Amino acid sequence: MYASSNGAVVRRSKPVTMPLVLLACGAAPIVLNLLFGAAWSNDLRSAALFIGAVLLLWGAAALIARLRDREGRPCCARTNRPLRRTERYYPQSLRADIERAIAEGAVERLLALPDGGGAAVGVTIYRAADGSFAAMQAAEYVDFEYRPLTEVRIVEGAPAGGR
């Protein structure tokens, strides 16, 4: 979808803000223990070190995972908002309805179709949480692989509804 959307869907790396906050929250009790630990009871010192160490390790692991992430997350290039990826599989009997819904940009109508009952037609949808952007494409399962059934359809602007 990244390549066939003409730059409308791009890959962005995940932010490192949350892991850095976890690192800071983990370092705070440890530093406080070093500065004021003599006045604290042994139980409070142990609890502060335990909580600080857990948060510090959690933040470090999350930071390493974010920095090593090669996949990133899909985003709308115009608004830089993250997109939610949805895959739905439909039986062959709904092929015409799927093609029509994609051609009209009717995301909600496409999602309302009953899925399951076979994986003859797969639909991949990238959409913003507020409905202001959607990119979708259908593929047909033929000879043990999915082949594009429709072009990538991009719906921008007003919430991508049933129209």
Side-chain angles (χ1 to χ4, degrees):
M1 185 73 75
Y2 293 117
S4 59
S5 67
N6 292 328
V9 178
V10 295
R11 184 176 312 171
R12 300 264 193 259
S13 60
K14 295 179 182 178
V16 294
T17 309
M18 197 62 189
L20 291 176
V21 168
L22 285 172
L23 280 172
C25 289
I30 294 172
V31 170
L32 288 174
N33 185 33
L34 291 173
L35 295 176
F36 305 110
W40 292 356
S41 69
N42 283 339
D43 290 340
L44 183 57
R45 290 178 68 190
S46 295
L49 284 176
F50 178 74
I51 290 170
V54 167
L55 288 174
L56 195 68
L57 290 174
W58 187 7
L63 183 64
I64 290 170
R66 294 274 171 103
L67 293 176
R68 293 179 53 95
D69 183 25
R70 301 246 187 262
E71 291 185 23
R73 65 177 179 184
C75 288
C76 176
R78 186 177 51 82
T79 63
N80 204 27
R81 289 188 177 168
L83 301 175
R84 183 178 306 135
R85 181 175 193 245
T86 306
E87 285 188 4
R88 306 281 301 252
Y89 299 97
Y90 301 98
Q92 186 69 27
S93 61
L94 294 176
R95 178 179 168 175
D97 295 333
I98 293 166
E99 289 181 20
R100 192 174 318 113
I102 289 176
E104 295 172 4
V107 179
E108 295 302 322
R109 191 170 72 211
L110 186 62
L111 292 173
L113 291 173
D115 63 340
V121 179
V123 177
T124 303
I125 304 170
Y126 286 93
R127 61 187 174 134
D130 63 356
S132 62
F133 177 88
M136 55 194 143
Q137 182 178 26
E140 186 175 27
Y141 190 72
V142 179
D143 295 330
F144 303 109
E145 67 179 0
Y146 279 99
R147 295 186 183 153
L149 187 62
T150 64
E151 295 294 320
V152 175
R153 173 77 161 113
I154 295 173
V155 180
E156 292 186 86
R163 290 189 191 146

